Every structure is written in structure tokens, then in C-alpha cells.
Amino acid sequence: MKIGVLALQGDFREHKQMLEALGVEAVEVRLPKHLTGVHGLIAPGGESTTIGKLAAEYGLDEAIRERYACGELAVWGTCAGAIWMAQEIIGYPDQPRLGLMPIAVRRNAYGRQVESFEEDLEIQGLDRPFHAVFIRAPVIERVGEGVEVLARHGDRVVFVQQDRLWASSFHPELTGDTRLHARFVELARG
Ligand code: GLN
């Protein structure tokens, strides 16, 4: 079982470490050929414009969409990665993106005063709260048909699933709690 971590920009190393802590083989994905044998892909936090531009430049987004359409790939976008997953990025119509999920996200939705914070979240399917780190986080303002909400922060949607796609506003790779990574590996195993 191989899980890829999109390694164009952002904190992909921390995701790799989480997977390795679970005993899962983690590979850095920079080019379409790195997707060979990979059944799940995690897109990290970072800067979503940069990630989107580089992924388009390397032909990765096209390759990922194809593999997903064939049912061969699960994809999880975290923070900037979640923005990259969205069909609509509010206020940034031209930003390059993977665009697989029918969701509308707002970048930097918490504004300047509260750029970063941590919060214990109730997440569907987890028996106890997950300590989530939000860093200049987006929120998911609208979800399309077939998209299930897995977690909210107050009344804001911060974690969604559609089939084998996940998008989370927060960073799940910074606290050493491997429960979500373990669940994603199960989703990828499908
Ligand atoms: N604010 C960043 C963006 O819009 C995302 C921040 C993050 O990934 N921690 O791309």
C-alpha cells in the first residue's frame, strides 16, 4: 500500500512522517510518473496558488483527475490542499486548481486577527475529539450534492467527504495524532 504526498510546496514532510509512523510507504509526488502504484494522495498545506500553478505546469492535475476517474485514487486536500480540491475558490476564479470536489471555499476565512488557532473538533467517525491546527485556514462555505460534512468549527464547515475525496481546512499532520491518516489509508485501500 503506497500513499503519495504532493511534494511541490508546503509541509509535505510532516504528512510523510505521519504515514511512516503508521508503517505505510509514503512517496513524494512531483511528476505524473510518481503516481504509479499510489492509491491515495495527500495534498498538504502551504500556498494554494503556488501548489496549483506547479501542479498544472507538471501535468499532475490532469494525471490525478484521470486516476481518480478510473477509481484508482483517493485524494485528501488539507488547508491549501483543500483549496486546490475545490471547484470554486471564492474571489479567485482564475486560480489553478485540481477542482475535483463540488465545494466553494473561502481562502484565509478567519481574517488577520485570528490567523492561527487550535481547537478540539468533533469529527464524524472518531470516538474522541481531534486536536486540529488552523493556520490562515480556509472555510468551506458551500457544499454540492453528495458532499458529506464530517466536521464543523462552530457553524463553519471545515471537513468534508465525497466518495473517495476529503477536504479539511485544518492541518491534521502537526499533532502526532495519526487517526485521520489511518482512516485515509483505509479509504485508499477501498
Ligand atoms: N492561506 C493559504 C492559501 O490560501 C493556506 C494556508 C495553509 O495551507 N496553512 O493558500
Side-chain angles (χ1 to χ4, degrees):
M1 186 65 195
K2 264 205 268 185
I3 301 286
V5 181
L6 192 70
L8 300 171
Q9 190 268 339
D11 71 335
F12 55 89
R13 287 177 196 87
E14 286 79 356
H15 279 287
K16 247 185 107 181
Q17 284 162 8
M18 293 292 269
L19 293 164
E20 284 161 1
L22 289 166
V24 173
E25 189 181 348
V27 298
E28 294 183 10
V29 172
R30 293 193 179 81
L31 295 168
K33 66 178 182 191
H34 300 147
L35 289 168
T36 308
V38 162
H39 295 287
L41 178 73
I42 300 177
E47 211 289 307
S48 59
T49 312
T50 308
I51 292 173
K53 269 190 197 151
L54 292 173
E57 210 171 293
Y58 299 151
L60 253 179
D61 48 3
E62 208 39 63
I64 293 165
R65 284 187 210 111
E66 261 170 43
R67 290 285 308 279
Y68 179 72
C70 298
E72 293 171 357
L73 200 64
V75 192
W76 179 14
T78 65
C79 203
I83 298 167
W84 183 64
M85 296 286 282
Q87 275 173 12
E88 185 181 348
I89 305 170
I90 296 164
Y92 298 87
D94 301 324
Q95 182 174 325
R97 72 203 68 176
L98 185 65
L100 274 178
M101 283 187 101
I103 56 176
V105 298
R106 186 176 298 280
R107 293 178 64 180
N108 304 316
Y110 291 93
R112 289 241 169 103
Q113 283 95 344
V114 271
E115 286 208 331
S116 303
F117 58 95
E118 302 184 12
E119 194 78 36
D120 284 332
L121 290 184
E122 296 286 344
I123 294 180
Q124 212 187 95
L126 294 187
D127 54 355
R128 59 194 159 75
F130 187 90
H131 193 72
V133 180
F134 292 80
I135 304 168
R136 303 192 347 107
V139 295
I140 300 157
E141 284 208 354
R142 289 190 298 279
V143 299
E145 213 171 305
V147 178
E148 193 186 350
V149 175
L150 298 182
R152 286 190 165 83
H153 171 242
D155 55 2
R156 298 169 129 171
V157 174
V158 294
F159 190 12
V160 293
Q161 169 163 20
Q162 185 191 40
D163 300 323
R164 302 180 76 211
L165 302 173
W166 278 8
S168 61
S169 299
F170 55 90
H171 285 256
E173 74 286 14
L174 299 176
T175 60
D177 185 341
T178 53
R179 287 178 295 162
L180 287 181
H181 286 77
R183 245 173 89 185
F184 181 69
V185 172
E186 286 315 307
L187 184 71
R189 220 185 282 280

Coordinates of all heavy atoms in Angstrom, one line a residue, residues 9-11 44-51 78-84 89 92 95 106-109 115-116 133-138 168-171 173-174, ligand 1:
Q9 N 5.2 22.1 -2.8 CA 5.4 23.2 -1.9 C 4.6 22.9 -0.7 O 3.7 22.0 -0.7 CB 4.8 24.5 -2.6 CG 5.2 25.8 -1.9 CD 4.1 26.2 -0.9 OE1 3.0 25.8 -1.0 NE2 4.5 27.1 0.0
G10 N 5.0 23.5 0.5 CA 4.2 23.3 1.7 C 4.8 22.2 2.6 O 5.9 21.8 2.4
D11 N 4.0 21.8 3.6 CA 4.5 21.0 4.6 C 4.3 19.5 4.4 O 3.7 18.8 5.2 CB 4.1 21.4 6.0 CG 2.6 21.1 6.3 OD1 1.8 21.0 5.3 OD2 2.3 20.9 7.4
P44 N -0.8 18.8 0.8 CA -0.5 19.5 2.1 C -1.0 20.9 2.1 O -1.4 21.5 1.1 CB 1.0 19.4 2.1 CG 1.4 19.6 0.7 CD 0.4 18.8 -0.1
G45 N -0.8 21.5 3.3 CA -1.0 22.9 3.5 C 0.3 23.7 2.9 O 1.3 23.1 2.8
G46 N 0.1 24.9 2.7 CA 1.1 25.7 2.1 C 0.5 26.9 1.5 O -0.3 27.6 2.1
E47 N 0.8 27.1 0.2 CA 0.3 28.3 -0.5 C -0.5 27.8 -1.7 O 0.2 27.2 -2.7 CB 1.4 29.3 -0.9 CG 1.0 30.7 -0.9 CD 0.1 31.0 -2.1 OE1 0.5 30.7 -3.2 OE2 -1.0 31.5 -1.9
S48 N -1.8 27.9 -1.7 CA -2.6 27.2 -2.7 C -2.3 27.7 -4.2 O -2.5 26.9 -5.1 CB -4.1 27.2 -2.4 OG -4.5 28.6 -2.3
T49 N -2.0 28.9 -4.3 CA -1.7 29.4 -5.7 C -0.5 28.7 -6.3 O -0.5 28.3 -7.4 CB -1.5 31.0 -5.7 OG1 -2.6 31.6 -5.0 CG2 -1.5 31.5 -7.1
T50 N 0.5 28.7 -5.5 CA 1.8 28.0 -5.9 C 1.6 26.6 -6.2 O 2.0 26.1 -7.2 CB 2.9 28.2 -4.8 OG1 2.9 29.6 -4.4 CG2 4.2 27.7 -5.2
I51 N 0.9 25.9 -5.3 CA 0.7 24.4 -5.5 C -0.1 24.2 -6.8 O 0.2 23.4 -7.6 CB -0.1 23.9 -4.3 CG1 0.8 23.9 -3.0 CG2 -0.6 22.4 -4.6 CD1 0.1 23.5 -1.7
T78 N -5.5 19.1 2.4 CA -5.5 19.7 3.7 C -5.1 21.2 3.6 O -4.1 21.5 3.0 CB -4.6 19.0 4.7 OG1 -3.2 19.2 4.2 CG2 -4.9 17.5 4.8
C79 N -5.9 22.1 4.2 CA -5.7 23.5 4.1 C -5.5 24.0 2.7 O -6.4 24.0 1.9 CB -4.5 23.9 5.1 SG -4.7 25.6 5.6
A80 N -4.3 24.5 2.3 CA -4.1 24.9 0.9 C -4.5 23.8 0.0 O -5.1 24.0 -1.1 CB -2.6 25.3 0.7
G81 N -4.2 22.5 0.4 CA -4.6 21.4 -0.4 C -6.2 21.3 -0.6 O -6.7 20.9 -1.6
A82 N -6.9 21.7 0.4 CA -8.4 21.7 0.4 C -8.8 22.7 -0.6 O -9.8 22.5 -1.4 CB -9.0 21.9 1.8
I83 N -8.2 23.9 -0.6 CA -8.5 24.9 -1.6 C -8.3 24.4 -3.0 O -9.1 24.6 -3.9 CB -7.6 26.2 -1.3 CG1 -7.9 26.7 0.0 CG2 -7.9 27.2 -2.4 CD1 -6.9 27.8 0.5
W84 N -7.2 23.7 -3.2 CA -6.8 23.1 -4.5 C -7.9 22.1 -5.0 O -8.1 21.9 -6.2 CB -5.4 22.5 -4.4 CG -4.8 21.9 -5.6 CD1 -4.4 22.6 -6.7 CD2 -4.4 20.6 -5.7 NE1 -3.8 21.7 -7.6 CE2 -3.8 20.5 -7.0 CE3 -4.6 19.4 -5.0 CZ2 -3.4 19.2 -7.5 CZ3 -4.1 18.2 -5.5 CH2 -3.5 18.1 -6.7
I89 N -13.2 28.6 -5.9 CA -12.4 29.4 -4.9 C -12.9 30.8 -4.9 O -12.7 31.5 -5.9 CB -10.9 29.3 -5.2 CG1 -10.4 27.9 -5.4 CG2 -10.1 30.0 -4.2 CD1 -9.0 27.7 -6.0
Y92 N -11.4 34.1 -6.4 CA -10.2 33.8 -7.2 C -10.5 32.8 -8.3 O -10.1 31.7 -8.4 CB -9.1 33.1 -6.3 CG -8.6 33.9 -5.2 CD1 -9.2 33.9 -4.0 CD2 -7.4 34.7 -5.4 CE1 -8.7 34.7 -2.9 CE2 -6.9 35.4 -4.3 CZ -7.6 35.5 -3.1 OH -7.1 36.2 -2.1
Q95 N -7.6 31.1 -10.3 CA -6.5 30.3 -9.6 C -6.5 28.9 -10.1 O -7.5 28.2 -10.0 CB -6.8 30.4 -8.1 CG -5.7 29.7 -7.3 CD -5.9 29.9 -5.8 OE1 -6.3 31.0 -5.3 NE2 -5.5 28.9 -5.0
R106 N -13.5 29.6 0.9 CA -13.0 30.9 1.0 C -11.7 30.9 1.7 O -11.5 30.3 2.8 CB -14.0 31.8 1.9 CG -13.6 33.3 1.9 CD -14.6 34.1 2.7 NE -15.9 34.1 2.1 CZ -16.3 34.9 1.0 NH1 -15.4 35.6 0.4 NH2 -17.5 34.8 0.5
R107 N -10.7 31.4 1.0 CA -9.3 31.4 1.5 C -9.2 32.4 2.7 O -9.9 33.4 2.7 CB -8.3 31.9 0.4 CG -8.2 30.9 -0.8 CD -7.3 31.5 -1.8 NE -5.9 31.6 -1.4 CZ -4.9 32.1 -2.1 NH1 -5.1 32.4 -3.4 NH2 -3.7 32.2 -1.6
N108 N -8.3 32.1 3.6 CA -8.0 33.0 4.7 C -9.3 33.5 5.4 O -9.4 34.7 5.7 CB -7.1 34.2 4.2 CG -5.9 33.7 3.6 OD1 -5.2 32.8 4.0 ND2 -5.5 34.3 2.4
A109 N -10.2 32.6 5.6 CA -11.5 33.0 6.0 C -11.6 33.5 7.4 O -12.6 34.2 7.8 CB -12.5 31.8 5.9
E115 N -5.3 34.6 12.8 CA -4.7 33.9 11.7 C -4.5 32.4 12.0 O -4.7 31.6 11.1 CB -3.3 34.5 11.4 CG -3.4 35.8 10.7 CD -2.3 36.1 9.8 OE1 -1.2 35.6 10.1 OE2 -2.4 36.8 8.8
S116 N -4.1 32.1 13.2 CA -3.9 30.7 13.6 C -4.5 30.4 14.9 O -4.4 31.2 15.8 CB -2.4 30.4 13.6 OG -1.8 30.8 12.3
V133 N -5.2 22.0 14.0 CA -4.5 23.2 13.9 C -4.9 24.0 12.7 O -4.9 23.4 11.6 CB -3.0 22.9 13.9 CG1 -2.2 24.2 13.8 CG2 -2.5 22.1 15.1
F134 N -5.4 25.2 12.9 CA -5.8 26.0 11.8 C -4.8 27.1 11.5 O -4.4 27.9 12.5 CB -7.2 26.7 12.1 CG -8.3 25.8 12.2 CD1 -8.5 25.0 13.3 CD2 -9.2 25.6 11.1 CE1 -9.6 24.2 13.4 CE2 -10.3 24.8 11.2 CZ -10.5 24.0 12.4
I135 N -4.2 27.2 10.3 CA -3.2 28.2 10.0 C -3.7 29.0 8.7 O -3.7 28.4 7.7 CB -1.8 27.6 9.8 CG1 -1.4 26.8 11.0 CG2 -0.8 28.7 9.5 CD1 -0.2 25.9 10.7
R136 N -4.1 30.2 8.9 CA -4.6 31.0 7.8 C -5.5 30.1 6.9 O -5.4 30.0 5.7 CB -3.5 31.6 6.9 CG -2.5 32.4 7.8 CD -1.5 33.3 7.1 NE -1.3 33.1 5.7 CZ -1.7 33.9 4.8 NH1 -2.4 35.0 5.0 NH2 -1.3 33.6 3.5
A137 N -6.5 29.6 7.7 CA -7.3 28.5 7.1 C -8.4 28.9 6.3 O -9.0 30.0 6.5 CB -7.8 27.6 8.3
P138 N -8.8 28.1 5.3 CA -10.0 28.4 4.5 C -11.2 27.8 5.2 O -11.0 27.0 6.1 CB -9.7 27.6 3.2 CG -8.9 26.4 3.7 CD -8.1 26.9 4.8
S168 N -10.0 19.1 4.1 CA -10.1 19.6 5.5 C -9.4 21.0 5.6 O -8.3 21.1 5.0 CB -9.4 18.6 6.5 OG -8.1 18.4 6.2
S169 N -10.0 21.9 6.3 CA -9.5 23.3 6.4 C -8.3 23.3 7.3 O -7.4 24.2 7.2 CB -10.5 24.2 7.1 OG -11.7 24.3 6.4
F170 N -8.2 22.3 8.2 CA -7.1 22.4 9.2 C -6.0 21.5 8.8 O -6.0 20.7 7.9 CB -7.7 21.9 10.6 CG -8.4 20.6 10.5 CD1 -7.7 19.4 10.8 CD2 -9.8 20.5 10.2 CE1 -8.3 18.2 10.7 CE2 -10.4 19.2 10.2 CZ -9.7 18.1 10.4
H171 N -4.9 21.6 9.6 CA -3.7 20.8 9.4 C -3.8 19.5 10.4 O -3.8 19.7 11.6 CB -2.4 21.5 9.8 CG -2.0 22.5 8.8 ND1 -1.0 22.3 8.0 CD2 -2.5 23.7 8.5 CE1 -0.8 23.4 7.2 NE2 -1.8 24.3 7.5
E173 N -1.6 17.1 10.5 CA -0.3 16.4 10.5 C 0.7 17.0 11.5 O 1.8 16.6 11.6 CB 0.3 16.5 9.1 CG 0.9 17.8 8.7 CD -0.1 18.9 8.3 OE1 -1.3 18.7 8.6 OE2 0.2 19.9 7.8
L174 N 0.2 17.9 12.4 CA 1.1 18.6 13.2 C 1.0 18.2 14.7 O 1.8 18.7 15.5 CB 0.8 20.1 13.1 CG 1.0 20.7 11.7 CD1 0.6 22.2 11.7 CD2 2.5 20.5 11.2
Ligands
GLN1 N1 -3.8 30.7 3.2 C1 -3.2 29.7 2.4 C2 -3.8 29.7 1.0 O1 -4.8 30.4 0.8 C3 -3.5 28.3 3.0 C4 -2.8 28.2 4.4 C5 -2.4 26.8 4.8 O2 -2.3 25.9 4.0 N2 -2.0 26.7 6.0 O3 -3.2 29.1 0.1

